[in-house]
Amino acid sequence: MDDLATTPLYDLHVALGAKMVPFAGYSMPVQYPLGVLKEHLHTRARAGLFDVSHMGQVLLSGPSWDAVALAFERLVPMDVLGLGDGRQRYGLFTNDAGGIEDDLMFARRGEDLFVVVNAACKAADIARMRAGLPGEIAVTELADRALIALQGPGAAAVIEDLDARAAEMRFMDVADLSLCGHAVWASRSGYTGEDGFEISVAADEAETLVRSLLEQRDVAPIGLGARDSLRLEAGLCLYGQDMDAETGPVEAGLAWAIQKVRRPGGARAGGYPGAEVIAEVFERGAARRRVGLRPEGRAPMRDGVPLFEAEEGGAQLGVVTSGGYGPSVGGPVAMGYVAVDQAAPGCRLWGEVRGKRLPVAVVPLPFVPAGFKR
Amino acid sequence: MKFTEEHEWLREEDGVMVVGITTHAAEQLGDVVFIELPEEGATVSKDDEVVVIESVKAASDILAPVDGEIVEVNSALADNPGAVNDDPQGEAWFFKMSVSDASQMEEFMDEAAYQAFIA
């Protein structure tokens, strides 16, 4: 435990009674006294406050926005150049085999690009950016900034009360706000399927800001346990679990994140790691596909549960990559990969749990409708 | 009431043992979302896995505390697994079992010893 890093909010988590667990090299709150189930439901009904300071925050700057954007397009299959100022996009780092090295959020802040990457991958991601971008692009890890998320239908009222400019923000907008006297970078996005904000703030101001936010109506601190069940119900991938270096964007159901301009035939097609492989998958289709899975019984099907075509015998068609109890659904939910001919909603498969095959239906994602402010 | 190192409690009632998990165990598990109970009439040996209990976090097995026969299960738990968090040492018992070797009961702790065990 001594080797674990801490976020600027560690002392506050402990003071709030959080149960701390190791996660991606950090000591993080998995739950508070409220418990995972109630924290999940609180976030869907009101507003949940998450510490995500373990994630990597990186700023890319260069001679101009076009130079920064075009350089970054060498590492990701996204339309970066077309990103308007104050807008954010979901992205993927790919490898030469067309697999996914990490997923990320990137936002245009004037002439700079602000990138948020997963904690477990941040060292590799920063190394990848330093190695893969030309020398004129400065890659700065913002280790002196904390990152928090306020998520849920009550989040907007809280933030708008503190800074009316937040009311102008729509889903995937970014803006500089002033919250309780703290200058922050806010984005209207998150990892729960709810409306909400992710807020980057100076590390030494983070605890004061979070204490102020926790005093607002309907705000409760939420741990990583509920963060996982919230994102699963929202149909959002967890890197390392629902996708990895051997999984491509198309089979992961993330082709939507590759804009037309970067696809085969687009004006800036290819030019990123694995572009040829991914172009071929666009052409021919993927052999397997990430799908939503709804066990018909009450038993959760967790990651690693194999999926078969029949109750007895028959071929294995896939595997669960994330699964558990969905508090808002009120039953077990999962996602996983299945052969494309079994990937249509309505297909019935059998998941093997403790030696018994239990029926599970392929269903559309997400499990709960998104609450984004479009 | 007697307690095991596996965080189960046993309470004698009408000549059989009522078995459940302790308040401490329920707190450690977190919100319980699924319970699979044994068949009534099943003959079990001490340490057989007889109950599967899943919380929001993980799946755990509950072991038979002694040799015997499952005479009744609390089937209400299947529809309301959260009762294990609400009243683990009362309403949310798992099963009742006959005890075929009473000497196996001797190793169990009383309440004071169990509280010391988890302290």
Side-chain angles (χ1 to χ4, degrees):
Chain A
M1 292 291 281
D2 290 347
D3 296 337
L4 292 176
T6 57
T7 76
L9 297 169
Y10 176 85
D11 291 343
L12 179 58
H13 298 316
V14 172
L16 291 169
K19 183 176 175 189
M20 305 300 289
V21 298
F23 182 83
Y26 283 78
S27 177
M28 297 298 291
V30 68
Q31 65 170 81
Y32 296 87
L34 197 56
V36 176
L37 200 69
K38 292 194 179 82
E39 289 173 27
H40 176 115
L41 295 172
H42 180 94
T43 306
R44 290 257 184 266
R46 296 188 168 84
L49 183 66
F50 303 75
D51 178 14
V52 288
S53 303
H54 57 315
M55 298 184 79
Q57 302 182 66
V58 183
L59 197 68
L60 305 186
S61 42
S64 66
W65 165 252
D66 285 11
V68 172
L70 288 169
F72 198 61
E73 286 193 0
R74 290 155 66 162
L75 300 179
V76 302
M78 282 73 221
D79 175 11
V80 186
L81 187 64
L83 190 63
D85 194 8
R87 291 288 295 163
Q88 186 178 47
R89 249 177 206 156
Y90 177 74
L92 304 165
F93 286 123
T94 51
N95 59 34
D96 290 339
I100 300 169
E101 290 289 310
D102 195 9
D103 65 343
L104 58 130
M105 297 292 271
F106 60 94
R108 180 173 174 182
R109 290 181 47 81
E111 302 295 295
D112 297 339
L113 187 70
F114 175 49
V115 182
V116 178
V117 299
N118 281 302
C121 304
K122 69 179 169 185
D125 289 339
I126 291 165
R128 175 179 300 107
M129 289 187 269
R130 294 218 161 107
L133 297 174
E136 64 178 14
I137 308 297
V139 178
T140 310
E141 182 182 5
L142 306 175
D144 57 350
R145 296 188 76 86
L147 191 66
I148 59 173
L150 188 69
Q151 300 279 299
V158 170
I159 301 300
E160 287 167 16
D161 275 355
L162 299 172
D163 188 333
R165 289 173 289 182
E168 307 297 312
M169 296 172 69
R170 303 209 153 252
F171 183 56
M172 302 294 260
D173 277 349
V174 298
D176 290 356
L177 300 179
S178 176
L179 303 179
C180 311
H182 304 282
V184 306
W185 302 352
S187 68
R188 195 148 194 170
S189 54
Y191 193 47
T192 60
E194 299 296 325
D195 184 21
F197 298 81
E198 293 201 340
I199 298 161
S200 173
V201 61
D204 58 3
E205 299 177 40
E207 184 177 334
T208 316
L209 172 61
V210 168
R211 283 184 183 276
S212 300
L213 290 173
L214 288 173
E215 285 169 11
Q216 309 298 314
R217 198 164 59 93
D218 290 344
V219 178
I222 309 296
L224 292 182
R227 184 169 163 84
D228 193 51
S229 54
L230 287 158
R231 68 93 193 164
L232 172 57
E233 283 184 342
L236 300 170
C237 290
L238 173 60
Y239 187 76
Q241 202 165 307
D242 303 302
M243 56 186 174
D244 55 25
E246 275 80 51
T247 313
V250 178
E251 57 192 336
L254 300 173
W256 59 268
I258 305 179
Q259 287 77 22
K260 281 210 170 79
V261 70
R262 301 300 308 279
R263 293 191 192 188
R268 296 193 311 286
Y272 57 88
E276 301 74 18
V277 181
I278 293 171
E280 201 172 306
V281 181
F282 268 121
E283 180 91 2
R284 296 188 186 177
R288 55 178 194 149
R289 167 102 193 172
R290 182 173 62 92
V291 295
L293 298 163
R294 183 81 166 91
E296 292 177 12
R298 296 185 71 118
M301 294 187 189
R302 299 181 191 272
D303 62 293
V305 166
L307 299 166
F308 294 89
E309 62 185 351
E311 187 169 9
E312 284 176 54
Q316 183 178 341
L317 298 171
V319 65
V320 172
T321 51
S322 281
Y325 180 78
S328 302
V329 171
V333 292
M335 54 184 169
Y337 283 82
V338 300
V340 280
D341 58 352
Q342 300 290 327
C347 283
R348 192 185 207 209
L349 308 172
W350 299 83
E352 196 169 282
V353 180
R354 294 180 284 271
K356 271 183 275 186
R357 291 199 189 169
L358 306 173
V360 53
V362 175
V363 295
L365 291 170
F367 292 98
V368 293
F372 306 140
K373 188 189 175 192
R374 299 282 187 187
Chain B
M1 199 180 262
K2 294 288 185 183
F3 297 85
T4 76
E5 292 190 0
E6 307 295 329
H7 307 285
E8 291 156 281
W9 55 261
L10 297 86
R11 175 167 51 81
E12 192 172 348
E13 183 185 290
D14 302 332
V16 296
M17 283 295 160
V18 188
V19 181
I21 60 166
T22 64
T23 303
H24 171 76
E27 282 169 3
Q28 294 297 310
L29 282 171
D31 306 299
V32 174
V33 296
F34 173 74
I35 294 180
E36 191 174 298
L37 295 164
E39 298 281 326
E40 289 179 356
T43 303
V44 298
S45 301
K46 180 177 162 62
D47 294 342
D48 282 356
E49 296 165 3
V50 286
V51 175
V52 174
I53 181 164
E54 295 220 23
S55 74
V56 286
K57 297 173 203 163
S60 318
D61 295 314
I62 303 298
L63 309 179
V66 293
D67 299 349
E69 185 187 325
I70 306 291
V71 297
E72 189 181 345
V73 300
N74 187 358
S75 46
L77 289 183
D79 290 327
N80 184 22
V84 174
N85 299 106
D86 298 333
D87 192 10
Q89 298 192 187
E91 289 282 299
W93 56 277
F94 288 176
F95 54 84
K96 299 178 182 178
M97 71 181 295
S98 64
V99 179
S100 46
D101 179 359
S103 73
Q104 288 178 331
M105 294 290 296
E106 286 166 17
E107 67 188 79
F108 297 146
M109 295 172 271
D110 60 15
E111 170 101 49
Y114 179 69
Q115 291 302 327
F117 175 70
I118 60 174

